[in-house]
Amino acid sequence: MNLKDVKAVKELLSVPQKIAIIPHKNPDGDAIGSTLALWHYLKNRGQEATIVSPNDYPKFLKWMPGNEHILNFETKNSQALSAINEATLIFTLDFNHFGRTGQLAPILEASKAKYIMIDHHQSPADYAEITYSDVAMSSTCEMVYNFIEFLGDTDKVTSEMANCIYTGIMTDTGSFKFHATTSQTHRIVADLIDKGAEKTAIHNHIYDTNSPSRLHLLGCALKNMVILEEFRTAYITLSQEELDAYNYQKGDTEGFVNYGLTLEGISFAVIFIENKEEGIIKISFRSQGDFSVNEFARSHFNGGGHDNAAGGRSEVSMEKTAKYFVSLLKDYKDKLIA
Ligand code: 5GP
Ligand code: MN
């Protein structure tokens, strides 16, 4: 954010506002961590603020302080709708265009509120009065910390906020190892620990709450993995039938896609997950090195994301989707084996 933006934010927050805070659909650790941290900060400044999530999210994120105040648009519809419709100021966090909020998109589109976007995805849409967009950032959580710093308030970061921000940085950086993790990320994380982030407990909450059925589903996914050495690619399919057989719960497939990248010589990993209810195959793409999965997802699977982590969807059967995917690879061979 430049000085002009910082001044504009200070002015907006110098008077009482009705604030709505919105993460993307299927919110992850960064989306929930960043919205909750900002919510605590704004409440502590005396502002009225409400988080509206477009839909539900995994149980392993629900321990975060303030979680019980998040309104799920699907289950608390009228309250959520009022919070958005009455808002004078709306923060949108961890996404780059309204389309990423699913059913909330037309409601946000129609709102007369002022918008502040805080996000690290490529190609931010131009709807906000203040756009704090930085694709080099590890996470939106790191940006929320910066946002508070721009306002001169890091001394007001509480242990609740520190726990939320730490969580999002940890989940979006693959526990501090992805490319976008900088020395500055670590400085911020160090400060968060000083301010009360409980690092061991956070790791346990996120990574050590497996159910036996999730581990069995992982076994099924790994068995289904197809390795295409000539394209340095590995992909996994999970059908609705398989998900049902292992009592799939939201969040159970989180992280499965990364296993492909742990194979020596593999730089492109994909998982296709059938969702019969929505009539789609949800796809996650991951890469190591220069191959941009953001471009790949945008060009062929109606999606997007970051250079090394993106998502998309397909509306044809699993078999056709996988076949189509494999047929695309020959056009990318040079980039994949570079
Ligand atoms: P994941 O594979 O974990 O769902 O998502 C990886 C990254 O891609 C995240 O940054 C997420 O925001 C983005 N992403 C996931 N699905 C979609 C999608 O359908 N469209 C777009 N534009 N981005 C997506
Ligand atoms: Mn993020």
Side-chain angles (χ1 to χ4, degrees):
M1 276 199 319
N2 58 34
L3 278 176
K4 194 170 133 264
D5 286 342
V6 174
K7 199 164 162 257
V9 173
K10 282 184 178 166
E11 261 168 40
L12 282 170
L13 295 182
S14 69
V15 293
Q17 302 273 0
K18 286 190 169 183
I19 300 174
I21 309 174
I22 319 284
H24 54 79
K25 190 181 171 190
N26 298 321
D28 57 7
D30 191 29
I32 295 297
S34 60
T35 50
L36 275 173
L38 182 67
W39 179 80
H40 283 290
Y41 172 71
L42 293 170
K43 297 281 280 185
N44 291 351
R45 283 190 62 141
Q47 292 287 357
E48 185 182 330
T50 310
I51 301 172
V52 176
S53 174
N55 64 346
D56 200 10
Y57 45 92
K59 206 167 94 192
F60 62 76
L61 298 175
K62 292 189 177 172
W63 57 272
M64 275 187 256
N67 173 71
E68 64 279 12
H69 298 285
I70 297 179
L71 296 178
N72 174 352
F73 183 71
E74 287 184 346
T75 53
K76 300 249 172 80
N77 194 268
S78 61
Q79 262 177 288
L81 210 52
S82 315
I84 297 175
N85 287 336
E86 288 166 17
T88 52
L89 180 61
I90 300 180
F91 283 84
T92 64
L93 265 56
D94 201 34
F95 65 88
N96 52 354
H97 63 93
F98 289 148
R100 297 279 295 123
T101 63
Q103 313 173 65
L104 283 186
I107 300 159
L108 296 174
E109 204 85 60
S111 169
K112 297 271 183 298
K114 288 201 160 74
Y115 275 97
I116 299 180
M117 175 202 277
I118 305 179
D119 180 49
H120 65 139
H121 292 88
Q122 295 182 8
S123 319
D126 187 22
Y127 58 77
E129 263 69 23
I130 293 147
T131 299
Y132 175 31
S133 160
D134 187 345
V135 298
M137 282 287 158
S138 72
S139 53
T140 300
C141 273
E142 184 170 341
M143 298 175 77
V144 165
Y145 181 96
N146 290 344
F147 180 84
I148 293 169
E149 189 167 44
F150 290 140
L151 299 177
D153 278 342
T154 47
D155 60 324
K156 300 202 176 74
V157 172
T158 61
S159 63
E160 283 91 355
M161 289 151 68
N163 277 298
C164 295
I165 297 174
Y166 185 103
T167 300
I169 297 178
M170 181 189 81
T171 54
D172 255 31
T173 57
S175 300
F176 317 108
K177 69 170 178 275
F178 294 157
H179 183 70
T181 315
T182 61
S183 57
Q184 181 59 13
T185 313
H186 282 278
R187 272 181 213 104
I188 290 172
V189 167
D191 189 42
L192 294 172
I193 292 171
D194 288 342
K195 290 182 159 60
E198 294 164 275
K199 59 186 187 311
T200 310
I202 295 172
H203 282 260
N204 287 343
H205 280 302
I206 299 288
Y207 299 118
D208 298 337
T209 50
N210 268 321
S211 61
S213 58
R214 179 182 185 258
L215 286 189
H216 293 144
L217 182 64
L218 173 61
C220 172
L222 295 179
K223 254 194 209 151
N224 290 353
M225 185 185 285
V226 177
I227 299 165
L228 304 168
E229 271 172 39
E230 59 168 323
F231 300 113
R232 298 199 177 164
T233 297
Y235 74 88
I236 291 171
T237 57
L238 279 175
S239 66
Q240 185 72 62
E241 225 171 38
E242 289 167 325
L243 296 170
D244 294 345
Y246 295 101
N247 186 30
Y248 169 78
Q249 306 289 312
K250 211 173 184 78
D252 276 356
T253 56
E254 202 68 41
F256 284 11
V257 63
N258 296 317
Y259 282 89
L261 288 184
T262 66
L263 288 161
E264 207 178 344
I266 295 297
S267 52
F268 185 25
V270 183
I271 188 165
F272 300 96
I273 302 171
E274 187 175 25
N275 182 334
K276 271 251 160 83
E277 197 184 321
E278 292 187 26
I280 61 162
I281 310 283
K282 182 76 185 98
I283 315 172
S284 290
F285 302 96
R286 299 289 185 273
S287 67
Q288 243 155 24
D290 293 337
F291 181 65
S292 169
V293 289
N294 171 47
E295 270 175 49
F296 188 86
R298 263 172 208 274
S299 305
H300 306 291
F301 291 101
N302 194 23
H306 310 282
D307 286 340
N308 296 122
R313 54 162 63 203
S314 157
E315 276 155 24
V316 297
S317 71
M318 181 67 88
E319 205 189 328
K320 283 188 181 155
T321 303
K323 220 169 163 185
Y324 174 59
F325 167 73
V326 173
S327 77
L328 294 168
L329 294 176
K330 59 179 184 313
D331 291 338
Y332 290 90
K333 192 160 181 176
D334 289 353
K335 287 182 182 151
L336 287 166
I337 63 175

